Each structure stands twice: as C-alpha cells, then as structure tokens.
Amino acid sequence: NKLLWFLGLSTVVIVLVIFAGATYSVRRIREADDKRLSVLHKVEYTAKMASIGRLAAGVAHEINNPLAFVTANVRWTAEALAELRAGLAAGRAPEGGVPAALGKVEEALGDAALGAERVRHIVRQLRTFSRGGDDEARQPMRLADAVVLEELRRAGCAVTAADGALA
C-alpha cells in the first residue's frame, strides 16, 4: 500500500517536473522565435529602406543632371541679356550684331527647354512607375528598363511604345 502510494506520488512528481520543463522549454522557444521574427522584420525594413535610398539617389541623379543643364543655360541667358542691354544702352553693338546675340540667347533657351523637358519626362515616368502605369499602357516595367529605353530614345533609336522593343 505504501509502495503504491509512493509510486503514485513519484509519478505525479515526475509528470509535474516533465510538464514544468516542457512549459519552460516551449516558453523559451516561443521567446526565441519572437526575437528571431523581430530581428527578421528589422532586417527586412532596413533592406527596404536601403533600396528606397538607392532609388532616391538614382532619381536625384537622373533629375539633377538635366536640371544643372537648365540652370546653367538660364544663368548664361540672363547674363547675356544683361550684357546686351548694357551694351545697347551705352551705344555699343554686340560682336556679330544684335541678331547673332539674340540667336545665341534663343539657342541657350532652347537647350534649357530640352533639359526641362527631360526633367518633366523623368517625373512622368516616376509617376507612372508609382501608380503602376497609366491607362494607355499598363505593363510591368523595371525602372532601370525605363531609364535605358529613354536613353535609347534620346540617342535617336526608335522604340515602339507597345512592347518597348527596338524598331
């Protein structure tokens, strides 16, 4: 009778110890898994932010080049017009005459307009990219492909709008 009582109590103690150990182990495993998931989410977030940073740097570079071109041409035009005005006010004709000077100003403004058009086109591409395309052509395209296609167009290569293939 005492032996049965001892075996029963021992069994209960053993079950309790096993249950407590299993509960502790499960809790530790769950905590480790939660920590792993938290670290994984932080790594994913960091990778996304790094990708966004690289994209922003690329976009800034793509916009900055034609914008610098526009700024330089507008600045030169302002200076050329100021010199022309000062020269005409002093009774001096510019070298090559007024029509030649105005022709240079028109050329610089035309170049500035081309640079501004390039910026507008880049912004339109980004808007299309961010919205997933426009109504006319909803097709997946990587931003790098869009930039390459635009550079091909600027170089004079004919690119069809339907499939982006070279014509």
Side-chain angles (χ1 to χ4, degrees):
N1 199 10
K2 285 185 178 181
L3 183 62
L4 285 176
W5 184 83
F6 179 74
L7 285 175
L9 182 64
S10 298
T11 305
V12 169
V13 168
I14 291 171
V15 168
L16 287 176
V17 167
I18 291 173
F19 181 74
T23 302
Y24 176 78
S25 296
V26 166
R27 185 171 13 101
R28 294 284 298 180
I29 290 170
R30 181 172 287 141
E31 288 170 0
D33 193 45
D34 289 345
K35 187 174 181 179
R36 182 188 62 80
L37 286 174
S38 174
V39 169
L40 180 64
H41 289 302
K42 286 178 184 177
V43 168
E44 288 175 352
Y45 177 77
T46 302
K48 287 178 185 178
M49 294 309 291
S51 294
I52 290 171
R54 284 190 301 274
L55 178 63
V59 168
H61 178 75
E62 285 294 316
I63 290 176
N64 192 44
N65 284 342
L67 188 58
F69 189 69
V70 168
T71 304
N73 278 298
V74 169
R75 189 172 293 131
W76 181 88
T77 299
E79 292 169 3
L81 288 174
E83 287 177 21
L84 180 61
R85 180 186 304 139
L88 291 175
R92 295 186 319 263
E95 187 178 318
V98 173
L102 290 177
K104 290 179 182 177
V105 167
E106 286 175 346
E107 183 180 336
L109 287 175
D111 289 344
L114 287 174
E117 178 62 26
R118 173 73 177 130
V119 171
R120 185 184 70 78
H121 186 75
I122 291 169
V123 170
R124 188 173 358 128
Q125 282 181 319
L126 287 172
R127 191 176 16 210
T128 300
F129 176 73
S130 69
R131 292 180 182 165
D134 56 21
D135 291 338
E136 295 172 7
R138 287 193 182 261
Q139 60 184 19
M141 178 176 276
R142 294 186 350 219
L143 183 59
D145 293 342
V147 171
V148 168
L149 288 173
E150 177 57 26
E151 291 303 318
L152 288 171
R153 285 186 187 105
R154 287 183 63 215
C157 296
V159 179
T160 62
D163 60 359
L166 295 176

mmCIF file of all heavy atoms in Angstrom, residues 148-149 152-153 156-161 163-167:
data_model
loop_
_atom_site.group_PDB
_atom_site.id
_atom_site.type_symbol
_atom_site.label_atom_id
_atom_site.label_comp_id
_atom_site.label_asym_id
_atom_site.label_seq_id
_atom_site.Cartn_x
_atom_site.Cartn_y
_atom_site.Cartn_z
ATOM 1 N N VAL A 148 16.780 53.040 -69.424
ATOM 2 C CA VAL A 148 17.527 52.610 -70.620
ATOM 3 C C VAL A 148 16.735 52.934 -71.885
ATOM 4 O O VAL A 148 17.285 53.461 -72.857
ATOM 5 C CB VAL A 148 17.849 51.097 -70.548
ATOM 6 C CG1 VAL A 148 18.343 50.578 -71.887
ATOM 7 C CG2 VAL A 148 18.871 50.835 -69.465
ATOM 8 N N LEU A 149 15.440 52.640 -71.887
ATOM 9 C CA LEU A 149 14.618 52.948 -73.061
ATOM 10 C C LEU A 149 14.608 54.435 -73.342
ATOM 11 O O LEU A 149 14.684 54.858 -74.504
ATOM 12 C CB LEU A 149 13.192 52.426 -72.868
ATOM 13 C CG LEU A 149 13.033 50.910 -72.933
ATOM 14 C CD1 LEU A 149 11.612 50.505 -72.565
ATOM 15 C CD2 LEU A 149 13.385 50.385 -74.316
ATOM 16 N N LEU A 152 17.837 55.395 -74.942
ATOM 17 C CA LEU A 152 17.846 54.966 -76.341
ATOM 18 C C LEU A 152 17.036 55.939 -77.196
ATOM 19 O O LEU A 152 17.448 56.307 -78.297
ATOM 20 C CB LEU A 152 17.288 53.549 -76.481
ATOM 21 C CG LEU A 152 18.191 52.429 -75.971
ATOM 22 C CD1 LEU A 152 17.437 51.109 -75.955
ATOM 23 C CD2 LEU A 152 19.438 52.330 -76.820
ATOM 24 N N ARG A 153 15.885 56.357 -76.678
ATOM 25 C CA ARG A 153 15.066 57.338 -77.413
ATOM 26 C C ARG A 153 15.835 58.640 -77.600
ATOM 27 O O ARG A 153 15.808 59.236 -78.669
ATOM 28 C CB ARG A 153 13.751 57.596 -76.674
ATOM 29 C CG ARG A 153 12.746 56.489 -76.790
ATOM 30 C CD ARG A 153 11.404 56.896 -76.157
ATOM 31 N NE ARG A 153 10.499 55.773 -76.133
ATOM 32 C CZ ARG A 153 10.185 55.069 -75.058
ATOM 33 N NH1 ARG A 153 10.670 55.396 -73.885
ATOM 34 N NH2 ARG A 153 9.371 54.046 -75.131
ATOM 35 N N GLY A 156 18.257 58.686 -80.305
ATOM 36 C CA GLY A 156 17.722 58.636 -81.654
ATOM 37 C C GLY A 156 17.259 57.273 -82.110
ATOM 38 O O GLY A 156 16.855 57.109 -83.258
ATOM 39 N N CYS A 157 17.333 56.277 -81.245
ATOM 40 C CA CYS A 157 16.837 54.953 -81.611
ATOM 41 C C CYS A 157 15.314 54.949 -81.517
ATOM 42 O O CYS A 157 14.756 55.515 -80.590
ATOM 43 C CB CYS A 157 17.400 53.885 -80.661
ATOM 44 S SG CYS A 157 19.174 53.701 -80.738
ATOM 45 N N ALA A 158 14.673 54.333 -82.481
ATOM 46 C CA ALA A 158 13.215 54.237 -82.461
ATOM 47 C C ALA A 158 12.804 53.085 -81.551
ATOM 48 O O ALA A 158 13.282 51.960 -81.709
ATOM 49 C CB ALA A 158 12.680 54.017 -83.869
ATOM 50 N N VAL A 159 11.951 53.360 -80.589
ATOM 51 C CA VAL A 159 11.483 52.356 -79.638
ATOM 52 C C VAL A 159 9.968 52.363 -79.718
ATOM 53 O O VAL A 159 9.341 53.401 -79.584
ATOM 54 C CB VAL A 159 11.950 52.681 -78.213
ATOM 55 C CG1 VAL A 159 11.447 51.645 -77.236
ATOM 56 C CG2 VAL A 159 13.467 52.792 -78.141
ATOM 57 N N THR A 160 9.399 51.180 -79.946
ATOM 58 C CA THR A 160 7.940 51.126 -80.039
ATOM 59 C C THR A 160 7.342 51.212 -78.646
ATOM 60 O O THR A 160 7.879 50.678 -77.694
ATOM 61 C CB THR A 160 7.451 49.833 -80.737
ATOM 62 O OG1 THR A 160 7.869 48.731 -79.942
ATOM 63 C CG2 THR A 160 8.026 49.719 -82.126
ATOM 64 N N ALA A 161 6.211 51.884 -78.542
ATOM 65 C CA ALA A 161 5.551 52.063 -77.249
ATOM 66 C C ALA A 161 4.856 50.802 -76.796
ATOM 67 O O ALA A 161 4.695 50.560 -75.618
ATOM 68 C CB ALA A 161 4.548 53.210 -77.330
ATOM 69 N N ASP A 163 5.616 47.458 -76.979
ATOM 70 C CA ASP A 163 6.324 46.429 -76.235
ATOM 71 C C ASP A 163 7.731 46.857 -75.813
ATOM 72 O O ASP A 163 8.446 46.058 -75.246
ATOM 73 C CB ASP A 163 6.407 45.146 -77.072
ATOM 74 C CG ASP A 163 7.138 45.352 -78.385
ATOM 75 O OD1 ASP A 163 7.566 46.478 -78.675
ATOM 76 O OD2 ASP A 163 7.285 44.366 -79.108
ATOM 77 N N GLY A 164 8.115 48.101 -76.064
ATOM 78 C CA GLY A 164 9.410 48.574 -75.654
ATOM 79 C C GLY A 164 10.537 48.004 -76.498
ATOM 80 O O GLY A 164 11.705 48.171 -76.166
ATOM 81 N N ALA A 165 10.196 47.322 -77.603
ATOM 82 C CA ALA A 165 11.223 46.734 -78.447
ATOM 83 C C ALA A 165 11.815 47.784 -79.373
ATOM 84 O O ALA A 165 11.177 48.757 -79.721
ATOM 85 C CB ALA A 165 10.623 45.599 -79.286
ATOM 86 N N LEU A 166 13.063 47.575 -79.741
ATOM 87 C CA LEU A 166 13.690 48.476 -80.689
ATOM 88 C C LEU A 166 13.062 48.291 -82.061
ATOM 89 O O LEU A 166 12.824 47.190 -82.490
ATOM 90 C CB LEU A 166 15.205 48.220 -80.758
ATOM 91 C CG LEU A 166 15.986 48.516 -79.499
ATOM 92 C CD1 LEU A 166 17.431 48.131 -79.674
ATOM 93 C CD2 LEU A 166 15.893 49.992 -79.150
ATOM 94 N N ALA A 167 12.802 49.398 -82.724
ATOM 95 C CA ALA A 167 12.189 49.324 -84.045
ATOM 96 C C ALA A 167 13.244 49.505 -85.122
ATOM 97 O O ALA A 167 14.272 50.056 -84.930
ATOM 98 C CB ALA A 167 11.120 50.383 -84.188
#
